[in-house]
Amino acid sequence: MNNLLPVPMLLTIFGAGVALAMPRRPKLQRAVSIVCLGGVIAVAAIFMWHTDAHGPLVLWVGGWPAPLGIVLVADRLASLMLLVAAVVALAVLVYSTGQDEDELRRETPVSIFHPTFLLLIAGVSNAFLAGDLFNLFVGFEILLFASYVLLSLGGTGDRIRAGTTYVVVSLLSSALFLISIATVYAATGTVNMAQLADRLQALSPPVQLLLQLMLLVTFAIKAAVFPLSAWLPDSYPTAPAPVTAVFAGLLTKVGVYAIIRTQTLLFPDSHLTNLLLVAALLTMVIGILGAVAQVEIKRMLSFTLVSHLGYMVFGIALANQAGLAATIFYTAHHITIQATLFLVTGLIERRGGSSALDGLGGLIKVAPLLAVLFFVPAMNLAGIPPLSGFIGKLGLLQAGAELGTPMAWTVVVGGIVTSFLTLLAMAKVWNRAFWGTPPAVESDEGVADDPTGDRRPMPPLMACATGALVTFSLALTVFAGPLYGYADRAAINLRDGTYEQSVMQVQP
Amino acid sequence: MTANITLAITAGFLVACGVYLILERSLTRILIGVILISNGVNVLFLIAAGDAGTPPIIGMFSRSTAADPLPQAMMLTAIVITLAVSAFVLAMAYRSFQLNGDDETADDLEDARIRELAKADEASGSFEETTFSDTGEDVVSE
């Protein structure tokens, strides 16, 4: 069973190679990538079942012992993240397949889209399963490289402009990550996380704090936590809809995952609670204020993405079991919802001819199915009661109340306000895009044309992929009980040292 | 382990120069800055490796005098990644040159929108129209 651990990476990288070798056979290329991602989902589901029943899976790649060897670990948290990420990635891939088949004027060179997308998933899987800091860095680099290419697909002026900011910020955070790794290695003589958990305790508190802050800043840039989030809303909206969806769903969450992992494993006694609480509050409130001010749906969603990362940071800051469990549940929910919303926006853009609110209106009459596809995840994002967003938020707020300090209560209030403002932003989109009258199209005769020129029907495959994600998000709601139980057990594991024990036990 | 002060100063100097260059607008200078920072970080890994020693080959040299191989492996990976990064940024600079005739980083869309709003004075109603020239033309806006 342990030997299955490298499969998510091997399968995707192998698939990428095969896909790259067939640039002129788009159908075969799509089939290869879909089969590979299907395989990743199956393996991730096996991991999830196995880690829940029998404890973490550990593989020392190459059989080298502790300070030298590379170790892959799947515990409950990593398996859950991997599974949700793979499901979302598959849906996005099916969506983009539908788009490719429909698109006659192709703006994205399709021959490199699939290999790059598979490499992105390889990087994400590697980051989730990495058992040492340097392997985590390599995972980050693989996914960042794939993301540079995906973000600047086609090389139009807009995408190069957005890509520049994104690439430079990512390069800086990578450099910072390397500096942290070098410092950690100089201080402890290992980069293996299980060993670090042990050895870091022996360092003097100021050195520990320095290392903790360096790692935290590195991952906070990747996760777009408030003062370090300015790059995100300007880079994401220019990319094609499937690319933005997978970025919004996965890339920032890898940063969140890395923060959870390092905070709970390496620095279990130093929670930096107040610092993180302030960061969480500012991320939530400033992010959502930015979202309310936007008039373009994709930019608005990018701001809500930043804002809702604040909830996850909130749970990490609390550092109690309830907070971590809620964060894990909320992260799984948010990966799905945010990706779904970006996919729906892609459909709105196609059906309504624009993603700016001024150019939209009356879509509910033209496309009632689209209205449903937008409404469910939008309400879920805002946290309307029966849906999974509500359950995650409630868990976080309860955990905040459990801590009970004035600062925690402030963030609880901030979280509630943020939810209402999210609802406001979503209602604005709903009112302007789905209700109301379609904007009149001016023509030379002065008569409003039938505005169907640039508006194409939704290809069934794209609608199906989006619908599948909406269904998946509803399944998260229906199975919220077992899933929350799982997240709870994962949170217990994060705090009781299971990770270190199981990694060191099977050391070759 | 005693840290090597020459290496530390070199690393600091490289990173400082890199940071200065990365704050420029021209993509080519940013690229040179990125390369300098990466080299500074690699030197930092050399410090993390500790004292120099014999080649770390099992069986040929004694374990106690051998250099630490792990940071060198990590540096090698970092060098490969830097190479790929340089290639990508260079390609982007060239594309930017093709499109705009220069390789400067363009302004953020949101900044541009806010500046336009400010110019059109949509934000405030209390703004007073002031004219400074005799002809009544508005010379405030450039």
Side-chain angles (χ1 to χ4, degrees):
Chain A
M1 190 58 91
N2 286 332
N3 289 330
L4 272 184
L5 269 173
V7 169
M9 281 81 89
L10 291 179
L11 206 56
T12 40
I13 293 179
F14 178 71
V18 173
L20 196 61
M22 308 185 293
R24 295 185 198 291
R25 308 285 299 278
K27 279 198 174 143
L28 217 55
Q29 233 185 6
R30 288 173 202 143
V32 166
S33 14
I34 288 174
V35 167
C36 285
L37 277 186
V40 175
I41 293 181
V43 174
I46 295 174
F47 288 172
M48 203 167 145
W49 163 77
H50 190 273
T51 49
D52 200 32
H54 307 288
L57 289 163
V58 181
L59 178 69
W60 288 85
V61 183
W64 288 85
L68 296 176
I70 289 172
V71 64
L72 296 175
V73 190
D75 64 346
R76 286 194 174 110
L77 171 63
S79 323
L80 176 66
M81 291 292 123
L82 188 63
L83 181 66
V84 178
V87 169
V88 170
L90 181 66
V92 171
L93 201 65
V94 173
Y95 179 96
S96 75
T97 303
Q99 196 173 20
D100 285 345
E101 278 174 355
D102 189 58
E103 207 97 340
L104 292 174
R105 302 165 294 157
R106 196 167 286 148
E107 52 179 297
T108 54
V110 72
S111 62
I112 57 164
F113 176 77
H114 287 268
T116 321
F117 192 89
L118 283 176
L119 272 185
L120 181 82
I121 305 306
V124 171
S125 323
N126 193 10
F128 284 151
L129 297 177
D132 62 75
L133 281 180
F134 199 77
N135 201 10
L136 184 64
F137 168 75
V138 173
F140 267 122
E141 284 306 310
I142 297 174
L143 75 86
L144 282 178
F145 262 95
S147 72
Y148 300 158
V149 177
L150 287 176
L151 197 73
S152 52
L153 265 187
T156 57
D158 259 1
R159 286 182 190 162
I160 293 291
R161 181 192 54 72
T164 312
T165 328
Y166 179 72
V167 170
V168 172
V169 171
S170 306
L171 288 182
L172 267 182
S173 78
S174 297
L176 196 59
F177 197 179
L178 271 181
I179 294 174
S180 329
I181 292 176
T183 322
V184 166
Y185 190 81
T188 60
T190 182
V191 286
N192 184 296
M193 289 207 251
Q195 262 191 330
L196 278 177
D198 210 29
R199 291 199 191 172
L200 279 172
Q201 308 307 317
L203 296 178
S204 68
V207 179
Q208 274 189 50
L209 188 65
L210 174 75
L211 296 178
Q212 186 179 13
L213 282 175
M214 282 172 77
L215 288 172
L216 196 61
V217 170
T218 307
F219 299 137
I221 297 177
K222 314 230 185 221
V225 176
F226 166 61
L228 309 166
S229 64
W231 57 272
L232 193 146
D234 196 47
S235 357
Y236 280 17
T238 45
V243 171
T244 324
V246 79
F247 280 18
L250 301 185
L251 298 199
T252 45
K253 304 309 178 306
V254 180
V256 171
Y257 169 82
I259 295 180
I260 300 180
R261 183 60 80 210
T262 49
Q263 287 295 308
T264 56
L265 186 62
L266 305 187
F267 309 99
D269 303 323
S270 158
H271 299 318
L272 295 180
T273 302
N274 282 330
L275 174 76
L276 283 172
L277 280 180
V278 173
L281 182 66
L282 291 177
T283 311
M284 279 181 200
V285 174
I286 293 180
I288 202 64
L289 288 179
V292 171
Q294 296 304 315
V295 291
E296 208 266 342
I297 305 181
K298 279 184 181 173
R299 287 189 70 89
M300 195 195 77
L301 287 178
S302 302
F303 275 101
T304 59
L305 167 63
V306 172
S307 161
H308 284 245
L309 286 162
Y311 285 102
M312 293 161 224
V313 179
F314 178 35
I316 299 169
L318 296 171
N320 50 17
Q321 189 208 322
L324 287 172
T327 300
I328 295 169
F329 181 84
Y330 196 79
T331 311
H333 142 85
H334 196 252
I335 292 178
T336 324
I337 290 302
Q338 199 72 49
T340 317
L341 279 171
F342 274 108
L343 290 186
V344 176
T345 311
L347 288 176
I348 292 179
E349 211 171 0
R350 170 172 286 260
R351 200 74 184 80
S354 156
S355 65
L357 288 177
D358 292 338
L360 290 168
L363 271 178
I364 198 161
K365 281 186 200 136
V366 200
L369 175 67
L370 187 57
V372 176
L373 288 183
F374 177 80
F375 188 74
V376 176
M379 290 302 111
N380 205 339
L381 186 73
I384 295 298
L387 298 165
S388 54
F390 172 73
I391 301 167
K393 279 175 185 154
L394 187 68
L396 283 168
L397 300 184
Q398 273 177 344
E402 192 182 298
L403 189 71
T405 58
M407 194 56 224
W409 278 109
T410 317
V411 187
V412 167
V413 174
I416 296 171
V417 171
T418 306
S419 290
F420 281 119
L421 286 175
T422 312
L423 192 60
L424 177 70
M426 290 297 144
K428 187 170 131 186
V429 177
W430 181 257
N431 280 344
R432 304 267 297 267
F434 290 94
W435 282 350
T437 49
V441 175
E442 288 173 23
S443 64
D444 293 339
E445 294 89 44
V447 187
D449 267 345
D450 180 31
T452 43
D454 200 35
R455 304 173 181 205
R456 291 157 292 171
M458 297 184 282
L461 202 53
M462 287 168 81
C464 279
T466 318
L469 263 192
V470 173
T471 319
F472 183 69
S473 70
L474 287 177
L476 288 185
T477 308
V478 174
F479 297 105
L483 189 65
Y484 210 97
Y486 183 91
D488 215 30
R489 292 193 294 279
I492 294 173
N493 276 168
L494 286 179
R495 288 155 51 84
D496 68 359
T498 318
Y499 189 95
E500 298 98 295
Q501 281 158 22
S502 42
V503 170
M504 296 322 275
Q505 248 170 25
V506 294
Q507 209 187 147
Chain B
M1 182 186 111
T2 51
N4 187 330
I5 193 81
T6 322
L7 284 181
I9 291 173
T10 314
F13 184 71
L14 283 173
V15 172
C17 293
V19 168
Y20 177 77
L21 280 172
I22 224 171
L23 295 174
E24 293 275 342
R25 275 209 150 193
S26 148
L27 259 179
T28 319
R29 288 182 196 194
I30 291 178
L31 173 63
I32 297 172
V34 167
I35 295 174
L36 284 182
I37 290 183
S38 320
N39 281 316
V41 174
N42 287 341
V43 174
L44 200 65
F45 267 105
L46 270 187
I47 305 172
D51 301 332
T54 53
I57 303 172
I58 295 178
M60 283 182 73
F61 301 95
S62 94
R63 226 164 233 249
S64 55
T65 57
D68 189 350
L70 195 57
Q72 300 183 6
M74 294 198 268
M75 264 168 76
L76 206 56
T77 316
I79 289 171
V80 173
I81 290 173
T82 313
L83 183 72
V85 162
S86 316
F88 188 83
V89 177
L90 211 53
M92 220 162 59
Y94 181 63
R95 183 67 187 156
S96 173
F97 166 74
Q98 272 186 327
L99 289 168
N100 310 324
D102 58 45
D103 64 345
E104 295 218 334
T105 314
D107 274 336
D108 169 305
L109 275 187
E110 185 67 5
D111 284 357
R113 188 170 76 96
I114 291 173
R115 217 172 291 146
E116 259 171 43
L117 278 178
K119 233 180 216 171
D121 191 33
E122 279 181 22
S124 93
S126 61
F127 178 76
E128 278 181 35
E129 197 75 47
T130 353
T131 47
F132 291 97
S133 71
D134 298 335
T135 54
E137 267 177 27
D138 188 5
V139 290
V140 180
S141 58
E142 291 161 283

